[in-house]
């Protein structure tokens, strides 16, 4: 079993409330979001429907009580907790662990 690697990506204040930023984590584009309640989430930045690395530029909101991001291309929603596409049960994006240490956002991969 490989150890999880955590990468420092930015400061918390660099992630806009109800918005996202993109960071390269172990060679992968990861979208990091901060919701209105201050929670941070990290998912793949790659939109598998639009086939482009754009999710960090999506619209953050809630649907059915779940925090989600709507792709800026075709507006598919992705649950920020699970990566599940809310509009197509067969589509999912990767999710990543997030932690904050002394104001710095760390994203983990395995």
């Amino acid at each position: 079993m490989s150890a999880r690697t955590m990468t420092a990506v930015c400061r918390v204040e660099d992630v806009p409330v109800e918005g996202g930023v993109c960071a390269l984590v172990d060679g992968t584009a990861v979208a990091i979001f901060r919701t209105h309640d201050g929670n941070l989430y990290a998912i793949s930045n790659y939109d598998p429907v639009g086939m482009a690395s754009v999710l960090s530029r999506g619209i953050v909101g809630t649907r059915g009580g779940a925090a989600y991001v709507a792709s800026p291309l075709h507006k598919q929603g992705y649950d920020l907790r699970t990566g599940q596409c809310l509009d197509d049960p067969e589509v999912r994006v990767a999710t990543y662990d997030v932690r904050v240490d002394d104001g710095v956002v760390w994203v983990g991969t395995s």
Side-chain angles (χ1 to χ4, degrees), residues 10-75:
C10 63
R11 298 206 47 85
V12 171
E13 59 267 17
D14 294 331
V15 183
V17 175
E18 295 296 309
V21 297
C22 184
L24 198 58
V25 179
D26 287 341
T28 300
V30 175
I32 300 104
F33 299 96
R34 182 163 53 142
T35 56
H36 71 279
D37 56 10
N39 288 324
L40 291 165
Y41 300 92
I43 64 173
S44 172
N45 195 47
Y46 185 75
D47 175 0
V49 175
M51 296 189 294
S53 195
V54 296
L55 290 180
S56 65
R57 297 184 310 207
I59 299 169
V60 177
T62 57
R63 189 190 298 178
Y68 85 105
V69 62
S71 171
L73 295 178
H74 300 292
K75 308 303 184 239

Side-chain angles (χ1 to χ4, degrees), residues 8 10-12 40 98-106:
C10 63
R11 298 206 47 85
V12 171
L40 291 165
V98 178
R99 79 166 196 244
V100 176
D101 186 17
D102 199 23
V104 175
V105 177
W106 294 78

